[in-house]
Amino acid sequence: MTDNAQQQPPAPTTELPTQYAPADVEGPLYERWVERGYFEADAASDKPPYTIVIPPPNVTGSLHLGHAFEHTLIDALTRRKRMQGYETLWQPGMDHAGIATQNVVERELAKEGKSRHDLGREAFVERVWQWKGESGGQISGQMRRLGDGVAWSRERFTMDEGLSQAVQTIFKKLYDDELIYRAERIINWCPRCLTAISDIEVEYQDDDGELVSIKYGDGDDAIVVATTRAETMLGDTAVAVHPEDERYKHLVGREIELPLTGRRIPVVADEHVDPEFGTGAVKVTPAHDPNDFEIGQRHDLPAIAIMDEHAVITAHGPFQGLDRLEARSAIVAALRAEGRIVAEKRPYVHSVGHCSRCKTTIEPRLSMQWWVKVGPLAKAAGDAVREGKVKIHPQEMEKRYFDWVDNLHDWCISRQLWWGHRIPVWYGPDGEVVCVGPDEQPPAGEGWHQETDVLDTWFSSGLWPFSTLGWPEQTESLAKFYPNSVLVTGYDILFFWVARMMMFGLYAMDGTPPFHTIALHGMVRDQFGKKMSKSFGNAVNPLDWMDKYGSDALRFTLARGANPGVDVPIGEDWVQGSRNFANKIWNATRFALMNGATVDGPLPDASTMSPTDRWILSRLNSVVAEVDAYYDDYQFAKLSDTLFHFAWDEVFDWYVELSKTTFMAGGEAAEVSKRVLGEVLDVTLKLLHPVVPFVTETLWTTLTGGESVVIAEWPTDSGFRDAGAEREIETLQQVITEVRRFRADQGLQPGQRVPARLGLDGSPLGAHEAAIRQLLRLQPEGEDFTATATLPVAGVEVALDLSGAIDVAAERKRLAKDLAAAEKEKAQATAKLGNEAFLAKAPDNVVDKIRGRLAKAEEDITRIQAQLDRLPQA
């Protein structure tokens, strides 16, 4: 902690405003936490380490619900561990986001009528740095709004000096180990961004296209192929069929005419072809399709590139200079004119890849690129999980992980951009290739030049767990905080970011994986389970909800929906409900303070406590144990739900209400209960703090006078249990709940008092008579008491005098009408379900609906008849 953290906190006050106003509390509280250094991590500490890295958001990004969700979970974990006495590091930082950032700055230049080429590489990169300093990283401020307890003094950026050194170091090491190479392969190419992009940067969507079937060759040599990209036929160098396909065996090894081109191409046999799909024959375009490239490699076929980087046709002939889509229509028209089109299907809906940045249709393209040979790296990443060095949570996600890492293709790491880590390779005038490490001087002299490509953003973010700690230097932080304790991230990037961190961590850190556990969560969706998107009109800015309901409300809603590996639906009504929960915590604590709840001194001996006191302390310790178990299993939804129901139902709705009569009576029992209530609130606020930090900080410091709940000690299960007290209070709850239900059924107003006789002789509930009467608004019986209704509940007989409280005749008439309606509904549903002809024709959902109506009617009949039976005779 900083020196500020040692200053004495202001004198505590037992007064709270009548209402909780998040906007007035959250900002100042967060700044106080940061100023006092609560979130900083000391590498020299002798405390056990607990480390989590932030999945680095893009420098161009702003807080969205996915960020808010993930950050809430990580913050909850780290706040708890900090309270448990760990030296806790939540490592912050941002990703330079190569394509996204370059696009942003290029758009800014376009407004000035310029392109990056007008500036030149060096000046353009300088302009990007300028943009980053002025406009980038707004998400950092938004993370503060959410309450992220990150070590801000350690914030890193994937292009800062230290991380750039780490990138150059591992590139050199991989290159020297022959795990990086340069080769011509098929890549995802964006004709708008003019770069190769990774698989994760490709978004697939169903587009309306066309499927055309084209006849190649003539007569006995004719063969039909189908394609959605007719323009690529200009680059065909073969037709492939399955070796066992009897229809085409006579053609294998022969050449047929490729229409429009004047070229003849061979027919090859390849097991990749599915003879059951379409005609069983496929055109092979090795330069423009990844599967065709593999076929071409197996059969030594030439690869003819027919498009330039802008997706404009370069093949000789009448289509040269046309855009790919223009060429598609022109080529189909030309084929039709020659009688080569056998069939056409429009529209033909199929999945098409688009650039996630600019939405342009991706073009598979043969290109000279830099690659990582992932075979040995991926094997190590798979073995680390198989051998138990790294656990994936939930465990069922392991299969998806193995399916990916066990079948990884080599990774294209070069990007045709200017913003990013420039590949540290120099080319000489006579074909020399030299890879330069961070401490080496690049070759100089005439004809030498550096590779113009930069590295894929995932290359640098793959080093994140150790580069942020100072690697390749052997720093104190690296020794203390590596490996990370857990990685919390979405299952959607399990295959990309997570796999790359596993490969690089094991490789660079001598076989030590980057984290002990990978805890995977789902995606945030709208309340109907639909993906959130601006185009769908259901996207939500989390800042709007935080402004309206407070950050705690948003956080609690997100945590309460977080089941491991499962998508999280969220709606505004749920956030509003969480705001109500925060208000409930506030009001209950305010009541406790006004009634003298205290944390001073040890708890009284259990022998001096009432059964109600012993019950709530017994339940409190059980909840502490449950919450700890859920945290250790990353069950955020269950721990949040447990705390919600314990706090709202048991503490606020039962214990506080039951204690009111004790407080009013005063004396020693009241003093004991005040101390117990203080203890319960102290522990409950601590348990809630990791998920709802702002309201709990305000309440806990007011209740206890402590410096901050952020650095308070996490509660532990004392082992205290009192099964007898728990049974006694459960019985009391049954009595009160059942009588309340009866009162409501009879139409009594909540505050309306009625005379009652309580048969508590010999019952353990005798000591609770005052509380029962207070909570149920029951007056003592008078001389003219007449028991008009009797309720036997849990061994207790409650006799009520309802004469004068309700109009019995009118109530009987109302219930009789309701009973008749329910019986009519039952009769109609029974008749339909007994009609065989109806059942034979009706859809299953209609039959199920009628069965539901029957069950509901029977339930209503039972309930209404019970109400009638309880009414006094008119």
Side-chain angles (χ1 to χ4, degrees):
M1 287 185 288
T2 64
D3 291 340
N4 287 336
Q6 306 303 326
Q7 296 176 1
Q8 291 299 314
T13 174
T14 57
E15 294 184 3
L16 287 169
T18 55
Q19 290 185 323
Y20 177 49
D24 297 338
V25 170
E26 293 175 352
L29 262 189
Y30 188 84
E31 290 310 312
R32 190 185 312 158
W33 291 335
V34 173
E35 288 168 6
R36 292 179 175 179
Y38 294 156
F39 305 140
E40 296 303 323
D42 182 3
S45 166
D46 59 1
K47 296 178 183 178
Y50 187 81
T51 317
I52 295 181
V53 294
I54 192 171
N58 287 353
V59 68
T60 59
S62 60
L63 190 74
H64 56 64
L65 270 178
H67 289 129
F69 173 56
E70 186 167 81
H71 291 201
T72 294
L73 305 187
I74 299 174
D75 197 38
L77 291 173
T78 53
R79 283 178 183 269
R80 171 177 175 255
K81 284 296 182 181
R82 190 177 293 111
M83 295 171 75
Q84 286 183 315
Y86 286 78
E87 194 62 38
T88 302
L89 170 60
W90 183 9
Q91 173 66 54
M94 285 183 292
D95 193 285
H96 65 278
I99 295 176
T101 307
Q102 181 156 319
N103 280 349
V104 167
V105 178
E106 286 197 86
R107 284 196 295 270
E108 293 292 318
L109 285 174
K111 294 176 184 176
E112 303 170 16
K114 298 178 182 177
S115 73
R116 60 179 162 128
H117 300 284
D118 294 321
L119 270 66
R121 183 170 193 142
E122 188 174 336
F124 176 77
V125 171
E126 184 73 28
R127 179 71 176 263
V128 179
W129 277 109
Q130 179 184 339
W131 174 88
K132 190 255 181 189
E134 295 172 356
S135 307
Q138 65 171 316
I139 195 172
S140 295
Q142 295 165 347
M143 287 164 57
R144 293 171 183 264
R145 284 285 315 278
L146 189 65
D148 285 6
V150 299
W152 286 113
S153 69
R154 291 173 171 267
E155 188 173 12
R156 303 304 297 268
F157 180 56
T158 51
M159 285 281 286
D160 69 26
E161 184 177 351
L163 270 66
S164 293
Q165 183 184 22
V167 167
Q168 197 171 352
T169 299
I170 201 163
F171 187 98
K172 170 71 171 173
K173 180 174 170 59
L174 289 162
Y175 183 87
D176 289 347
D177 287 346
E178 298 183 348
L179 292 173
I180 281 182
Y181 64 94
R182 191 168 182 249
E184 198 173 35
R185 299 277 183 84
I186 293 283
I187 45 87
N188 300 308
W189 181 262
C190 176
R192 155 60 185 78
C193 298
L194 299 180
T195 181
I197 64 174
S198 65
D199 291 339
I200 198 171
E201 291 163 327
V202 179
E203 292 180 348
Y204 287 91
Q205 66 184 49
D206 288 341
D207 286 357
D208 286 344
E210 61 180 354
L211 180 69
V212 294
S213 298
I214 310 168
K215 183 178 71 172
Y216 287 14
D218 292 296
D220 291 340
D221 289 349
I223 193 167
V224 175
V225 298
T227 181
T228 58
R229 300 162 67 213
E231 70 279 9
T232 62
M233 67 159 292
L234 300 177
D236 286 359
T237 55
V239 171
V241 297
H242 193 273
E244 303 302 321
D245 195 330
E246 293 294 335
R247 293 171 294 177
Y248 304 119
K249 278 196 171 182
H250 69 288
L251 286 176
V252 174
R254 296 170 60 178
E255 289 187 343
I256 59 174
E257 183 181 350
L258 177 65
L260 305 181
T261 66
R263 289 192 290 116
R264 294 184 68 79
I265 57 175
V267 177
V268 298
D270 195 282
E271 291 187 353
H272 168 77
V273 180
D274 180 1
E276 303 298 322
F277 184 77
T279 64
V282 296
K283 58 192 287 299
V284 182
T285 321
H288 293 279
D289 183 275
N291 293 322
D292 293 3
F293 177 80
E294 298 294 334
I295 294 175
Q297 293 286 295
R298 288 193 288 272
H299 297 276
D300 198 25
L301 300 173
I304 302 174
I306 62 158
M307 297 182 207
D308 66 12
E309 60 185 5
H310 297 281
V312 171
I313 302 297
T314 57
H316 294 298
F319 313 107
Q320 188 173 3
L322 294 179
D323 171 80
R324 56 182 166 167
L325 299 182
E326 296 172 333
R328 183 174 301 170
S329 299
I331 287 171
V332 170
L335 290 168
R336 191 183 298 113
E338 289 192 3
R340 293 285 177 179
I341 300 296
V342 175
E344 298 179 67
K345 185 176 182 180
R346 295 190 188 88
Y348 178 73
V349 179
H350 61 131
S351 182
V352 178
H354 295 259
C355 174
S356 63
R357 303 299 175 192
C358 68
K359 311 308 177 188
T360 302
T361 301
I362 289 302
E363 190 64 44
R365 183 171 187 249
L366 187 63
S367 178
M368 182 66 76
Q369 302 284 344
W370 285 92
W371 304 80
V372 171
K373 186 185 296 183
V374 300
L377 302 175
K379 182 180 185 303
D383 290 346
V385 175
R386 287 190 176 93
E387 295 167 6
K389 294 179 182 177
V390 178
K391 293 182 179 179
I392 293 179
H393 190 279
Q395 190 173 1
E396 53 264 28
M397 288 285 181
E398 280 188 4
K399 183 180 184 302
R400 297 179 66 179
Y401 176 79
F402 292 136
D403 286 347
W404 180 259
V405 298
D406 293 346
N407 297 284
L408 268 180
H409 295 112
D410 285 0
W411 170 21
C412 176
I413 55 172
S414 46
R415 298 290 180 267
Q416 291 64 56
L417 304 170
W418 286 356
W419 172 244
H421 295 100
R422 194 167 174 180
I423 291 176
V425 169
W426 270 255
Y427 303 110
D430 298 318
E432 302 96 332
V433 179
V434 177
C435 180
V436 178
D439 300 321
E440 301 171 351
Q441 290 297 319
E446 186 176 348
W448 283 93
H449 63 280
Q450 187 180 356
E451 169 65 71
T452 56
D453 288 355
V454 301
L455 287 164
D456 176 13
T457 298
W458 295 100
F459 191 94
S460 50
S461 61
L463 315 180
W464 194 246
F466 52 93
S467 63
T468 51
L469 298 173
W471 187 90
E473 302 299 325
Q474 298 304 304
T475 64
E476 193 176 26
S477 289
L478 187 64
K480 177 75 173 179
F481 295 114
Y482 186 91
N484 290 190
S485 305
V486 60
L487 174 75
V488 178
T489 192
Y491 63 70
D492 58 323
I493 55 175
L494 172 65
F495 316 128
F496 302 99
W497 186 46
V498 179
R500 281 149 174 69
M501 285 190 291
M502 285 285 284
M503 291 191 295
F504 280 168
L506 289 159
Y507 175 73
M509 300 300 292
D510 299 320
T512 302
F515 16 74
H516 297 301
T517 301
I518 302 167
L520 298 169
H521 59 73
M523 305 294 102
V524 179
R525 297 183 179 273
D526 72 12
Q527 64 195 87
F528 306 108
K530 190 174 181 180
K531 180 181 177 181
M532 285 192 172
S533 165
K534 290 180 181 178
S535 60
F536 295 156
N538 62 351
V540 172
N541 183 345
L543 297 171
D544 293 340
W545 281 353
M546 287 193 281
D547 288 341
K548 194 170 182 180
Y549 303 110
S551 298
D552 284 333
L554 176 64
R555 289 171 61 115
F556 193 73
T557 305
L558 291 167
R560 204 172 175 196
N563 290 296
V566 178
D567 288 346
V568 183
I570 184 172
E572 186 169 1
D573 288 351
W574 305 342
V575 184
Q576 186 175 353
S578 295
R579 189 271 314 275
N580 295 343
F581 179 51
N583 289 341
K584 184 79 169 181
I585 302 169
W586 183 272
N587 293 332
T589 306
R590 188 167 175 270
F591 164 84
L593 289 167
M594 292 170 61
N595 283 274
T598 178
V599 296
D600 295 337
L603 276 172
D605 189 87
S607 62
T608 68
M609 296 179 188
S610 69
T612 309
D613 293 333
R614 297 196 304 275
W615 160 72
I616 198 63
L617 288 176
S618 182
R619 287 292 305 127
L620 179 68
N621 278 287
S622 294
V623 167
V624 169
E626 287 175 34
V627 168
D628 275 335
Y630 287 142
Y631 261 117
D632 292 340
D633 198 35
Y634 307 99
Q635 297 279 0
F636 296 98
K638 290 182 178 179
L639 73 89
S640 298
D641 210 48
T642 295
L643 286 171
F644 174 86
H645 287 293
F646 175 70
W648 192 308
D649 300 345
E650 298 186 74
V651 178
F652 306 148
D653 278 358
W654 283 109
Y655 182 70
V656 168
E657 292 300 317
L658 289 169
S659 298
K660 285 180 179 179
T661 53
T662 305
F663 292 153
M664 286 188 291
E668 183 61 28
E671 296 306 311
V672 171
S673 290
K674 289 175 185 178
R675 179 64 188 89
V676 170
L677 179 55
E679 180 74 11
V680 170
L681 286 175
D682 176 17
V683 173
T684 302
L685 291 171
K686 287 176 181 175
L687 292 174
L688 284 165
H689 172 72
V691 181
V692 284
F694 294 108
V695 68
T696 51
E697 170 80 339
T698 305
L699 296 175
W700 186 87
T701 53
T702 305
L703 173 71
T704 68
E707 180 183 342
S708 173
V709 71
V710 176
I711 54 173
E713 187 175 341
W714 182 255
T716 55
D717 176 8
S718 71
F720 176 79
R721 300 288 192 279
D722 192 323
E726 290 196 35
R727 285 194 299 271
E728 184 172 323
I729 301 305
E730 285 171 9
T731 303
L732 176 63
Q733 290 171 333
Q734 288 177 31
V735 171
I736 292 173
T737 300
E738 190 60 31
V739 176
R740 278 177 173 165
R741 184 180 296 119
F742 176 76
R743 286 177 57 106
D745 287 345
Q746 305 312 315
L748 293 176
Q749 296 300 312
Q752 188 174 353
R753 293 188 172 275
V754 295
R757 178 190 300 132
L758 304 180
L760 297 174
D761 291 343
S763 168
L765 300 188
H768 302 282
E769 180 169 358
I772 293 172
R773 289 190 178 277
Q774 174 65 26
L775 292 175
L776 290 174
R777 304 295 188 268
L778 302 179
Q779 297 174 186
E781 58 205 88
E783 291 184 3
D784 57 349
F785 177 84
T786 303
T788 59
T790 302
L791 282 76
V793 185
V796 175
E797 187 173 272
V798 180
L800 303 174
D801 184 354
L802 301 180
S803 57
I806 59 173
D807 184 336
V808 175
E811 186 65 10
R812 280 191 172 278
K813 185 175 181 181
R814 182 185 70 82
L815 289 173
K817 182 178 180 182
D818 291 347
L819 182 62
E823 288 174 337
K824 181 179 180 181
E825 175 73 3
K826 176 183 176 181
Q828 290 176 342
T830 302
K832 282 191 175 182
L833 293 174
N835 185 331
E836 294 295 335
F838 169 77
L839 292 176
K841 296 178 181 179
D844 290 344
N845 64 318
V846 172
V847 175
D848 288 343
K849 188 175 181 180
I850 294 171
R851 288 192 178 117
R853 284 169 50 193
L854 175 61
K856 175 68 167 52
E858 290 174 337
E859 182 183 313
D860 288 344
I861 291 168
T862 301
R863 175 179 55 79
I864 296 167
Q865 190 61 59
Q867 290 176 240
L868 281 166
D869 293 342
R870 289 171 179 165
L871 278 176
Q873 296 302 312

